[in-house]
Amino acid sequence: MQHTAQSIKGIAGDFPILDQKVNGHPLIYFDNAATTQKPGQVVEALRRYYEHDNANVHRGIHELSNRATRAFENARTRAAAFINARSAEEIVFTRGTTEGINLVANSWGAKFIKAGDKILLTEMEHHSNIVPWQLLAQRTGAQLAFLPVNGDRGLLDLTRLSDSLTPDVKLLAMTHISNTLGTINPVADFCEHARKRGIVTLIDAAQSAGHRPLDVQEIGCDFLVFSGHKMCGPTGIGVLYGRGELLEQMPPYQGGGEMILSCDFYETTYKKPPHKFEAGTPDISGAIGLQAAMNYLDEIGRNNIAHHDQELGAYAFEKLSSMKGIRLFGPTIGRAGLVSFLLNGVHAHDVVTVADQRGIALRGGHHCNQPLMRKLGVESTARASFYFYNTTAEIDRFVEVLREIQKFFGA
Amino acid sequence: MFDDLNDLYQQVILDHSKSPRNYSELPGANRTAQGHNPLCGDHVTLFLNVEGDQVKEISWQGSGCAISRASASILTTALKGKSVAEVKTLFDRVHDMVTTGKSNGDLGKLAVFAGVHKFPARVKCAILPWYAALAAVEGKAEPVSTESEE
Ligand SMILES: Cc1ncc(COP(=O)(O)O)c(C=O)c1O
């Protein structure tokens, strides 16, 4: 099987989906920044739960409900260990990165952000780490500010940070790894600067959680968010890490069942965090699937995954750099496992359509980074994003197809 | 080498996308319309000079993929001299063709877009300039977007 030839060891057969032909060619799945594939172990965990233990959590006194509750809370404990949170109470289950950020903006933001305050973001943020803050700013009269990205190499200027952390800045929210540029930001340094000034920090770990070891205490952030589906887990589940002290001070996000201690017609007392922030029946199977994904990633070893990512990222960048008529985005060294590019005279969507006809799944468009695209002066880019099941042989094939595309469009 | 793709990217399409016809502003245009595809950032602006019931002159500017550029270019060659009613009829027929692959009657050069129906993600690219044309002859001022049409 082609996919295991040089992919990371010990995953043979775990991803049956990769072993298929698309448009008559062996599938090369290079759209992992959008969502990753799920190993059999994760699918099996979902099946086992639904076939043996399914019930609602925290409600029934019967055996199945006990099992479901235990499994759900075990997943929380597992998530806490996965990112080295101090306790499971610091883990709130969400639908994903987007909901995690919205939760912080609506709950923490509503209480602590006032007119005249500043929310500092960067120019490389995903729409999900821009729009919730715009909405909050509109509601409160706060202002947004953006740390600049310097050109096609896509780096943030750390030397500009101190000047930007003015006394009116109350929050710094930024991405760990850019889904468009592949930049890996030194988030621990950023958080240290912010912390010294009493500024609250939120890290968008959507692109890093499944790709490298994560330690919230080492990073020193107050909030960190990620999505299960970008790290071998199911869609519909994600994690918000919040430092205990902050979660304690925050008002509820949504109201409903599961989050209350007692409810009267006019008044309610809430459970403690994290349950206070989980109104309604949660995605129980999703949490269980996410736990299986975390176990799976740790079996492979997140250091190994990070190493493999960087090898593929560097290999692809080098191969593409040797082509004529190509514009590459993102850092030349120390990049994550993805490449964004444009072929001169060929629109990204035409690249993606032709590649798809060769069985290669790419993404073309603005990658939910429209402000960044505008800054770079492009409307869209094509992107290949890798994971541990991808190989250098696949990248060779991809480069071959890009050359064919250039010929086809006479570029 | 790309036989399966030649249906989509016919030679005529590649030619028009590389050397678009009527690619300019139109001084004295009395109708303009903009089309935008927010998914890929494609933009097209059509400039029309409509006298009485007839499209006297038409030109376009914009940016986008090969399909949307070629569609805009060929559209301008097809609509010159047409009546407002004919533009609407052509819109319907092109729309049918790019979504089903079947064309109702002889569409001339526009028939090169029949292959688009096999690529559902690209139908919007082909149809975008046509929405703009429809808006122009109907005198709509609002930019049209592929995302409000479905
Ligand atoms: C950097 C980054 N932030 C946030 C998101 C949003 O994640 P989700 O759609 O899973 O909420 C994504 C995924 O597209 C991303 O790449």
Side-chain angles (χ1 to χ4, degrees):
Chain A
M1 208 178 80
Q2 175 199 357
H3 291 282
T4 51
Q6 294 166 61
S7 60
I8 226 155
K9 282 191 204 75
I11 62 161
D14 290 348
F15 294 89
I17 194 171
L18 295 174
D19 209 1
Q20 65 174 300
K21 286 196 167 176
V22 166
N23 294 319
H25 297 267
L27 168 64
I28 295 180
Y29 186 77
F30 278 177
D31 196 16
N32 293 288
T35 199
T36 66
Q37 299 303 342
K38 327 299 175 196
Q41 287 83 339
V42 168
V43 179
E44 177 57 24
L46 298 177
R47 201 179 63 85
R48 206 180 320 119
Y49 168 71
Y50 280 123
E51 287 186 357
H52 296 281
D53 306 324
N54 174 56
N56 211 324
V57 289
H58 304 132
R59 289 183 188 177
I61 324 181
H62 57 79
E63 169 62 15
L64 291 190
S65 177
N66 286 339
R67 280 191 222 156
T69 305
R70 223 180 298 130
F72 184 64
E73 292 305 323
N74 278 343
R76 195 191 303 281
T77 306
R78 181 66 182 92
F82 191 75
I83 57 172
N84 196 30
R86 288 163 208 84
S87 87
E89 275 73 59
E90 295 184 319
I91 303 297
V92 179
F93 282 122
T94 63
R95 279 198 299 127
T97 306
T98 303
E99 193 183 40
I101 297 170
N102 277 280
L103 193 161
V104 175
N106 281 289
S107 168
W108 179 86
K111 183 161 173 187
F112 293 103
I113 294 288
K114 303 273 182 290
D117 287 347
K118 220 178 240 171
I119 298 165
L120 184 61
L121 311 170
T122 83
E123 286 180 343
M124 64 171 82
E125 297 312 310
H126 189 274
H127 293 167
S128 63
N129 199 25
I130 298 178
V131 185
W133 307 118
Q134 287 176 347
L135 293 170
L136 177 65
Q138 283 157 17
R139 280 196 304 271
T140 58
Q143 285 183 343
L144 302 186
F146 294 86
L147 287 169
V149 165
N150 64 19
D152 283 10
R153 295 288 69 85
L155 297 171
L156 295 171
D157 191 350
L158 246 176
T159 61
R160 301 272 293 269
L161 181 64
S162 291
D163 294 340
S164 307
L165 294 176
T166 47
D168 48 356
V169 174
K170 292 289 165 347
L171 175 79
L172 167 66
M174 63 181 294
T175 194
H176 191 183
I177 294 181
S178 159
N179 61 308
T180 301
L181 300 163
T183 313
I184 305 175
N185 289 316
V187 282
D189 294 341
F190 280 83
C191 288
E192 192 186 347
H193 278 87
R195 196 167 54 245
K196 278 192 204 141
R197 294 168 173 80
I199 295 166
V200 170
T201 49
L202 178 143
I203 301 301
D204 172 354
Q207 294 296 341
S208 59
H211 290 262
R212 49 181 32 234
L214 264 193
D215 182 330
V216 290
Q217 299 189 51
E218 205 174 285
I219 293 172
C221 53
D222 294 300
F223 298 106
L224 181 135
V225 288
F226 57 93
S227 304
H229 70 93
K230 292 184 197 284
M231 48 181 284
C232 290
T235 51
I237 187 78
V239 165
L240 159 66
Y241 156 81
R243 203 156 54 76
E245 219 175 295
L246 283 171
L247 290 182
E248 289 287 346
Q249 299 170 37
M250 286 160 52
Y253 168 50
Q254 294 177 328
E258 307 283 0
M259 50 85 74
I260 58 136
L261 273 181
S262 77
C263 179
D264 202 347
F265 281 120
Y266 298 103
E267 231 176 293
T268 292
T269 50
Y270 308 116
K271 283 186 182 165
K272 290 176 128 352
H275 301 104
K276 181 183 187 173
F277 302 105
E278 294 176 359
T281 301
D283 185 355
I284 306 163
S285 65
I288 289 164
L290 178 60
Q291 173 172 12
M294 290 174 168
N295 290 342
Y296 183 81
L297 294 178
D298 277 342
E299 259 167 52
I300 297 174
R302 275 179 278 164
N303 271 316
N304 296 335
I305 294 172
H307 186 72
H308 187 79
D309 262 17
Q310 295 207 354
E311 252 180 29
L312 292 191
Y315 185 78
F317 195 79
E318 186 197 312
K319 285 269 160 173
L320 295 186
S321 302
S322 71
M323 289 175 65
K324 287 206 185 80
I326 192 166
R327 179 172 168 193
L328 285 158
F329 301 89
T332 38
I333 48 166
R335 60 177 27 251
L338 66 87
V339 282
S340 260
F341 61 95
L342 278 175
L343 299 181
N344 294 348
V346 191
H347 192 276
H349 277 215
D350 294 316
V351 172
V352 174
T353 295
V354 180
D356 182 49
Q357 289 302 302
R358 288 293 171 267
I360 305 177
L362 302 177
R363 169 111 186 246
H366 54 61
H367 315 292
C368 297
N369 272 141
Q370 276 179 323
L372 175 64
M373 293 283 142
R374 237 162 261 139
K375 161 112 185 193
L376 297 174
V378 300
E379 271 150 11
S380 58
T381 69
R383 178 186 74 190
S385 54
F386 316 121
Y387 212 13
F388 52 80
Y389 36 68
N390 294 125
T391 66
T392 50
E394 289 178 326
I395 292 174
D396 289 341
R397 171 71 185 137
F398 160 64
V399 171
E400 202 177 288
V401 168
L402 288 187
R403 289 190 203 281
E404 281 184 86
I405 291 171
Q406 287 182 318
K407 212 183 274 169
F408 184 73
F409 287 99
Chain B
M1 156 165 47
F2 273 102
D3 294 344
D4 39 349
L5 282 165
N6 292 339
D7 254 6
L8 177 64
Y9 296 109
Q10 304 228 4
Q11 213 46 51
V12 177
I13 291 181
L14 292 178
D15 169 44
H16 274 262
S17 85
K18 263 184 248 164
S19 331
R21 318 296 196 269
N22 305 310
Y23 191 84
S24 65
E25 276 190 56
L26 189 62
N30 57 10
R31 306 277 175 87
T32 61
Q34 292 180 24
H36 178 218
N37 180 346
L39 285 182
C40 39
D42 288 358
H43 274 282
V44 51
T45 305
L46 289 182
F47 305 92
L48 280 73
N49 197 349
V50 181
E51 273 177 34
D53 187 43
Q54 203 188 26
V55 178
K56 280 279 182 204
E57 281 176 284
I58 177 167
S59 70
W60 78 284
Q61 285 188 322
S63 62
C65 64
I67 305 297
S68 73
R69 289 169 62 80
S71 178
S73 172
I74 296 175
L75 172 147
T76 59
T77 63
L79 292 192
K80 189 166 172 171
K82 294 284 189 293
S83 72
V84 168
E86 284 171 326
V87 172
K88 291 180 183 173
T89 308
L90 265 181
F91 172 91
D92 288 337
R93 289 166 65 185
V94 170
H95 191 280
D96 279 355
M97 178 182 66
V98 296
T99 48
T100 68
K102 298 190 190 76
S103 55
N104 178 6
D106 183 12
L107 279 172
K109 209 179 246 177
L110 293 168
V112 296
F113 291 101
V116 173
H117 86 281
K118 289 189 211 155
F119 298 80
R122 307 306 299 276
V123 168
K124 284 176 180 169
C125 311
I127 207 69
L128 178 66
W130 285 92
Y131 275 118
L134 198 61
V137 296
E138 287 176 349
K140 286 190 189 140
E142 284 284 293
V144 292
S145 161
T146 51
E147 291 316 285
S148 51
E149 301 295 343
E150 312 291 278

